[in-house]
Structure formats: C-alpha cells, structure tokens
DNA sequence: AGAACTGTACCGTCCAGCCGGTATAGTAAC
DNA sequence: GTTACTATACCGGCTGGACGGTACAGTTCT
C-alpha cells in the first residue's frame, strides 16, 4: 500500500538524519510524492508519527508470533535476534520521532509493558526470563548506537547463553 | 556553577516536556535567566546539548568509579541500580535532545562502547558479564518508559540474580 | 465518475542566533 | 580616593528563515 511507502520514507529519514529532519516536505520528497499527496494519507504530522509507532509495535508482535518456540520468552528472544540481525534498526529511530508527545508514546509504553509481562506466569523461573528480556532490550540499545559492536559470533554466543538461562532451574 | 544550573534546567525540560520543547527561551526561563544570559554561557544550542551529553557520561563514570566493588561489571551493575532508583532518569531524555546530530551522539557512542568493553579481558566469564551489562541497559529502557514497572522487591531480586550470574562459572 | 494524487501559493507561528545595551566588580593609575 | 579602563555576566528586542497546515484548481488512473 502507498501508506506503507510513506511510513518507510519517514522511518528512513529518522534513521538517517534524525528527528529534526522529519518534516512533511522531506518525507514527501523521499517517498516521491508531493506534500499534498502525503497529507492526503496522513492529514497531520501527528498522524504520520502515530502510524509509525503502531506499525512498529504490530510488526514486532507479528515477528514474535511467527517464531516457532516453546515459550513467549524464547520467541521474544529469537525475534529480537532476527530483527537486530536484519539491520532494520527502526526502533530507536521511530521513538525519537515521537519524543515529547506522551500521547504518541503511550502505545509504545503499553507494548513495552506487554513484552515484559506476557507469559511470565507460566515461566518456571520468572526472574531469569525477565533478565533475558531485559538483555534483549539492552541489545537494541547497544546495536542501535553502534551497529558494528557485536560480530556474528558474538550474537550466536549471546543467543546460546540467553537460551541456557531460560532452560536452567 | 551557573552552567550546571542551566544544564539542569535543560535536562528537566527534556524529561518533562520532550525534545521539541527544548528551546533556548524555555531553558532560559526555567533557569531564571534571560535568553541572552543563556547564550553567554552556551553560545549555540548545539553547545548546550553537547554539555548535557558530556556531563551525563562523566557523572555516570564517576558513579561507577565510586562503587566499592571487586570488578568493573559489579560496579557497573551497582551504579545502574543506584542511578535508576534515584529517579533521575536523565539518560533517555538527554539522548532525545541530541537525536539527529551524529556528531553530538558520538561521545555517547564511545562511552557506550567503553561501558560494554571495560574490564572484559579480566572477566572469568565474559559472556555472562556482557549479559549482565546488557540487562542494565534494558533496565534503563524499561524504567524510563514506565518508571513504575518494577517495584523495590523486583529491583532487589534482579540485582541479586545478576550478581549471581557474575559469580557462577 | 470518482479516487488518488500533483503543484503552487499562501498564512501564522515559532525559534535560533545576533546585537546593542546595562550592571557589577576588579584594578590600576594619578 | 576618584577617575578611567576592562572583563565578566547578563538583558531583551529583533529578524530571517523554516515548518506545519490550508486551499484549491488541475491531472492521471481505474
């Protein structure tokens, strides 16, 4: 859909140039659309950012759901590594775009709470599961600030050890 | 010093209202200073943000160094919990202020790399140490988005388990 | 015929940075 | 001891430019 292309353009702009450069004209130009065309789909800038946030959450939820793992923690872990290794580090970028507007950030906050609570009651070692999910979050942070910090071998080793944390008593 | 008060005002503004509200006049007003007075100390907005970033990094380094622990990982862990429980969650706020300017973010990136590498060669289980530090980062993330997510008991349990991760072979 | 645009022109607002001016304090000459 | 000078700290108004949003007439696709 055309809306997705517009959201992609906005995301790319955020990731490459940062929040101050996320202007309606810049997004339109990047998507190969006139400003009027952009405003046809997203009638305000707020709507555009809201669209980005919602898609971000929905996409990650979908990615977690598509992992064939025996627990939510395992699926979340696997999804994190898939997303991070894909190189599409939209998370941070998108969030900076919404910074300052608590209303826009709310859906993300809710998603965050969900990601760190879901399936916790069936976990045999909830604290270990929490640590694993926190480490996932930390991985986002580090990778976004410095995409080359971890090598492929590092990722594999980390994934292995985090999985082991979930398995052991 | 007066510069510190100005940086405090800027940080508070970022934390409470978000990056778009970080204007020179707003910072000046909050600090009880005219715009001209603010610009006397920080001649551009960029200098102001740079000042915030540098102080952020320096403060945390100092906090880590002041912890009396037997390894950098332990000190980093302890410092993280102290900082987070203090409620002064400047980290995220400050970073959003610098979003968009890679030059301003560079010092933070370097600090991040340092925080995740320092003392790693003397660690008996480097991967465990890495996981602990990643979990610290994740804790920042979660706590900033939702300050009330973890209770005091949670923090203690998490700290205990993360310490245990560093101890066991 | 209608949906999905394009292109242009325009308005009000906001903000960074600049600049001329002011107050205070130190200091040094005479 | 008062005059002259200098540096520091700060005031507040101004401006030029950019941005979000509106309006609307025309065009292409289906």
């Amino acid at each position: 859909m055309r809306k997705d292309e517009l959201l992609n353009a906005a995301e790319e702009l955020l990731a490459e140039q940062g929040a101050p450069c996320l202007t309606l004209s810049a997004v339109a130009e990047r998507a190969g659309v006139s400003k009027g065309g952009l405003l046809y789909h997203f009638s305000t800038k707020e709507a555009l950012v809201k669209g980005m946030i919602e898609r971000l959450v929905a996409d990650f939820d979908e990615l977690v759901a598509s992992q064939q793992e025996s627990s939510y923690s395992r699926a979340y872990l696997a999804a994190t590594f898939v997303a991070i290794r894909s190189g599409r580090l939209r998370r941070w970028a998108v969030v900076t775009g919404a910074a300052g507007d608590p209303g826009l950030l709310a859906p993300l906050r809710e998603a965050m709470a969900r990601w760190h609570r879901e399936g916790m009651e069936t976990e045999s070692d909830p604290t270990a599961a929490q640590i694993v999910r926190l480490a996932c979050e930390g991985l986002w942070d580090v990778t976004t600030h410095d995409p080359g910090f971890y090598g492929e071998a590092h990722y594999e080793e980390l994934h292995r050890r985090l999985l082991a944390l979930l398995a052991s008593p």
Side-chain angles (χ1 to χ4, degrees), chain A:
Chain A
M1 215 199 308
R2 200 53 179 269
K3 276 198 172 191
D4 267 313
E5 292 172 34
L6 294 169
L7 291 177
N8 287 343
E11 272 179 11
E12 288 161 21
L13 222 55
L14 271 179
E16 292 167 21
Q17 319 225 50
C21 297
L22 186 77
T23 69
L24 293 181
S25 347
V27 172
E29 189 183 356
R30 172 129 201 165
V33 165
S34 75
K35 194 175 155 185
L38 167 60
L39 281 151
Y40 177 79
H41 291 285
F42 298 98
S43 55
T44 75
K45 188 180 185 178
E46 195 176 313
L48 177 69
V49 177
K50 193 175 165 191
M52 279 198 287
I53 299 259
E54 279 166 5
R55 195 178 69 161
L56 179 79
V57 172
D59 278 7
F60 194 72
D61 276 333
E62 208 174 306
L63 188 61
V64 173
S66 74
Q67 302 299 310
Q68 303 201 339
E69 299 280 348
S70 54
S71 76
Y72 187 82
S73 291
R74 267 173 257 258
Y76 190 80
L77 179 59
T80 299
F81 275 93
V82 169
I84 284 180
R85 282 203 260 209
S86 82
R88 264 192 95 188
L89 300 168
R90 312 178 297 170
R91 196 134 163 188
W92 159 260
V94 169
V95 174
T96 61
D101 194 327
L104 288 173
L105 242 30
L108 193 74
R109 217 189 53 222
E110 284 165 30
M112 200 74 144
R114 200 155 38 74
W115 290 337
H116 282 258
R117 249 199 276 270
E118 187 145 338
M120 229 25 135
E121 64 285 350
T122 66
E123 209 71 49
S124 68
D125 186 346
T127 307
Q130 236 159 41
I131 289 177
V132 168
R133 296 189 199 181
L134 285 173
C136 287
E137 237 56 64
L139 212 55
W140 274 110
D141 237 58
V142 173
T143 316
T144 316
H145 278 87
D146 193 347
F149 190 81
Y150 291 115
E152 192 54 36
H154 262 100
Y155 281 135
E156 275 169 33
E157 171 70 4
L158 276 172
H159 197 164
R160 212 178 356 247
R161 282 297 291 273
L162 288 167
L163 262 180
L165 266 182
L166 289 175
S168 70

